[in-house]
Amino acid sequence: KIGELPTGWRVRLLCQQHVCPLPSLFSSHRGGSDHGMTGCNTIGVSRPESAGPVSARNVRRLLSFQRYLNSSQFLRGIPASDPLSYILDDDYTGQAKLMLEKVGNWNFDIFLFDRLTNGNSLVNLTFHLFNSYGLIELFQLDMVKLRRFLVMIQEDYRSQNPYHNAVHAADVTQAMYCYLQEPKLAQTLTSCDLLLGLLAAATHDLDHPGVNQPFLIKTDHYLAALYKNSSVLENHHWKSAVGLLRESALLSHLPTEDRSERLGSLILATDISRQNDYLSEFRSHLDKEDLCLTNGGHRHFILQMALKCADICNPCRPWKLCQQWSEKVTEEFFHQGDIERKHNLEVTPLCDRQSNSIANIQIGFMSYVVEPLFLEWSRFSDTRLSQTMLGHLSLNKQGWKEGRDKPDATNSRASEEQRTSVAKDSNSRVLPQGSKGS
Ligand SMILES: *[C@@H]1O[C@H](CO)[C@@H](O)[C@H](O)[C@H]1NC(C)=O
Ligand SMILES: *[C@@H]1O[C@H](CO)[C@@H](O)[C@H](O)[C@H]1NC(C)=O
Ligand SMILES: CC(=O)N[C@H]1CO[C@H](CO)[C@@H](O)[C@@H]1O
Ligand SMILES: [Zn+2]
């Protein structure tokens, strides 16, 4: 009986672990690596690396070069074997390029961009931003290493997560770019700041298991033990990012300085449970008007706040985007709740599809988390973008409130909206139908 086993076991049972018997070639592990959460599609709970001779991750690493070749073929627009798909690819490529010309737009539709790039939004967008900021030349980055690094990052997001996948990372990176372009930041940030800001955005949820920290703690996941129950996920994202940076040797020719620490401190700032600490520090700076962006520490703090905003900016996007993200994040939450119910764990209220709804979750999230943060951000950066974001936030909240007690009404209104906008969109005819779920 599963219910009688200690919790750690219960969860391990949920996950069919198949560690393939492999030649000794793979048996050496990277020291201090905390990877090894692969090979489990359901909830991403797995044994520590030391528990088996070979982690699925190492196998994936081996495949990554092939992945890179595949992906760079696409990026270079080399014809695929099917001549028809080549013609279509060419068309998408043109449209993706057009979209990148407006990458600083707050209306940027990352879902569309991801379809047009055949699921490579994170690689493509981040590469474009590095390039357009001149970071490649400035830091003398090897383009092959850079592409390879970005492909590894994209692949280490789990595409089976409805929300915490590479498209979310691409979306956060795009939002981060919008904030980096705000006058106060654009005028003061150094190239190092830009590099770290974009890197942190692209990697901030790396290898996210699709469940939250309390779940990892109550199921005795080894990551919870490794990081002593504190910012468990964020520490894992950071360490994973540092691992990939090392593996790709992208920055190995640059002085080390405090790069890893700064990257970590940016990623750790996305821990929502610590939001109040960051928010009160921000508020106190704004009250005292003592932020001085020639000061490196202050610039770093602003980057932290910018990344925090970028991470939770979904409700500040136009309704159509906001709504799609809400559906995805709710699906991920409810999936966790289903696992909890199935295995007699306490069901997290946020994740309980029997007692919670997408509208309720969104209204709460907007009121208690998003609004307070963006109000302070708009005090700091009182620009048109900030006004636009607050405008959408308020409209979207209203939207959820109106549909809250009538889920059917919300759904039909939404699909009606989607249908008309698709019909109006002349590009929609050539969208790759049924391509990777965005
Ligand atoms: C590379 O592409 C080929 C053909 O599309 C596919 O069969 C193969 O599985 C891909 N390899 C990887 C590692 O993605
Ligand atoms: C983490 O939390 C669990 C459950 O509350 C507890 O049993 C465990 O001792 C904690 N671990 C650490 C390192 O604090
Ligand atoms: C920088 C980069 O890789 N850009 C590519 C993004 O995708 C478009 C369309 O697929 C290509 O044309 C670009 O070269
Ligand atoms: Zn995130």
Side-chain angles (χ1 to χ4, degrees):
K1 286 270 182 56
I2 239 173
E4 289 158 13
L5 293 170
T7 41
W9 274 103
R10 259 186 253 155
V11 171
R12 271 166 215 138
L13 283 176
L14 300 182
C15 170
Q16 277 95 44
Q17 292 176 28
H18 29 76
V19 176
C20 334
L22 274 173
S24 53
L25 172 65
F26 298 107
S27 59
S28 70
H29 302 293
R30 285 181 301 178
S33 166
D34 56 69
H35 291 113
M37 296 178 63
T38 51
C40 173
N41 290 340
T42 335
I43 47 171
V45 180
S46 173
R47 71 175 84 187
E49 262 188 340
S50 58
V54 166
S55 79
R57 185 189 162 83
N58 283 343
V59 179
R60 283 204 305 159
R61 272 289 71 80
L62 183 78
L63 291 174
S64 77
F65 184 66
Q66 214 189 333
R67 270 191 329 243
Y68 164 68
L69 286 179
N70 276 11
S71 146
S72 62
Q73 258 181 13
F74 169 76
L75 290 170
R76 286 196 235 105
I78 290 172
S81 42
D82 175 0
L84 181 60
S85 78
Y86 171 47
I87 294 167
L88 289 176
D89 269 357
D90 212 31
D91 199 1
Y92 305 151
T93 301
Q95 293 184 56
K97 275 189 182 143
L98 281 179
M99 282 194 79
L100 282 179
E101 285 172 18
K102 297 184 177 172
V103 67
N105 255 348
W106 190 245
N107 297 344
F108 191 87
D109 185 342
I110 196 71
F111 299 112
L112 175 59
F113 185 69
D114 194 63
R115 289 196 293 272
L116 293 174
T117 57
N118 198 23
N120 287 293
S121 54
L122 184 57
V123 174
N124 210 276
L125 184 110
T126 315
F127 192 94
H128 173 81
L129 295 178
F130 268 61
N131 201 21
S132 65
Y133 268 134
L135 297 174
I136 299 179
E137 282 165 38
L138 203 71
F139 291 102
Q140 309 230 312
L141 302 181
D142 178 334
M143 304 244 269
V144 173
K145 281 186 190 167
L146 176 58
R147 280 223 166 119
R148 196 157 172 229
F149 171 69
L150 294 174
V151 169
M152 288 197 292
I153 289 187
Q154 185 175 274
E155 296 284 329
D156 274 9
Y157 280 95
R158 301 180 184 197
S159 56
Q160 66 269 33
N161 288 345
Y163 184 84
H164 287 106
N165 53 43
V167 186
H168 166 63
D171 180 54
V172 171
T173 308
Q174 193 270 336
M176 188 69 174
Y177 173 70
C178 293
Y179 303 151
L180 297 176
Q181 291 295 94
E182 288 284 74
K184 270 194 181 171
L185 287 85
Q187 286 156 16
T188 53
L189 295 181
T190 67
S191 308
C192 250
D193 296 331
L194 296 174
L195 180 78
L196 276 170
L198 292 176
L199 272 183
T203 60
H204 82 283
D205 272 331
L206 201 55
D207 198 32
H208 196 294
V211 290
N212 63 16
Q213 167 172 300
F215 184 93
L216 296 179
I217 292 177
K218 72 182 166 194
T219 57
D220 294 342
H221 193 278
Y222 79 94
L223 284 175
L226 184 60
Y227 298 117
K228 304 196 166 54
N229 296 349
S230 154
S231 296
V232 172
L233 286 167
E234 293 74 18
N235 272 302
H236 178 61
H237 305 319
W238 167 32
K239 297 296 177 180
S240 304
V242 169
L244 289 190
L245 265 178
R246 255 186 229 135
E247 193 171 327
S248 68
L250 177 65
L251 306 177
S252 56
H253 60 294
L254 300 172
T256 330
E257 288 169 15
D258 51 354
R259 200 165 47 230
S260 299
E261 277 60 42
R262 279 197 71 190
L263 185 65
S265 139
L266 290 175
I267 294 177
L268 289 176
T270 62
D271 182 350
I272 286 287
S273 68
R274 296 206 43 218
Q275 162 125 331
N276 281 340
D277 303 340
Y278 289 93
L279 208 50
S280 41
E281 189 176 344
F282 199 22
R283 213 170 265 140
S284 124
H285 279 306
L286 293 169
D287 290 344
K288 287 187 277 182
E289 300 183 10
D290 67 352
L291 278 171
C292 169
L293 297 188
T294 53
N295 173 321
H298 286 186
R299 284 202 309 278
H300 182 77
F301 179 66
I302 290 307
L303 280 180
Q304 288 178 314
M305 298 313 295
L307 182 58
K308 287 179 65 54
C309 289
D311 192 25
I312 59 169
C313 73
N314 295 162
C316 304
R317 299 278 196 178
W319 170 255
K320 218 179 103 189
L321 297 171
C322 159
Q323 194 199 24
Q324 290 179 77
W325 287 121
S326 308
E327 282 164 6
K328 286 168 196 302
V329 82
T330 311
E331 191 187 335
E332 196 169 301
F333 288 164
F334 285 176
H335 182 236
Q336 176 180 326
D338 292 345
I339 299 171
E340 291 168 336
R341 184 171 296 109
K342 188 166 156 210
H343 296 276
N344 298 321
L345 300 166
E346 195 190 331
V347 179
T348 308
L350 188 67
C351 302
D352 191 349
R353 70 171 79 241
Q354 290 173 6
S355 66
N356 222 327
S357 72
I358 182 167
N360 266 319
I361 294 174
Q362 286 302 312
I363 293 165
F365 179 57
M366 289 172 164
S367 310
Y368 300 112
V369 183
V370 181
E371 227 164 59
L373 179 63
F374 280 84
L375 283 174
E376 298 307 322
W377 178 262
S378 68
R379 277 176 76 196
F380 166 70
S381 178
D382 187 10
T383 61
R384 208 166 125 186
L385 173 60
S386 293
Q387 294 316 313
T388 302
M389 293 193 297
L390 289 176
H392 284 308
L393 181 60
S394 143
L395 284 173
N396 292 338
K397 193 161 144 185
Q398 202 54 42
W400 289 120
K401 278 188 176 155
E402 280 161 11
R404 168 149 65 169
D405 304 319
K406 310 168 271 176
D408 288 335
T410 324
N411 286 340
S412 58
R413 194 187 66 183
S415 54
E416 176 67 22
E417 236 173 53
Q418 264 168 5
R419 238 173 340 120
T420 38
S421 73
V422 165
K424 272 184 282 178
D425 184 351
S426 59
N427 289 343
S428 63
R429 276 177 295 111
V430 294
L431 284 187
Q433 295 301 324
S435 68
K436 168 181 177 281
S438 39

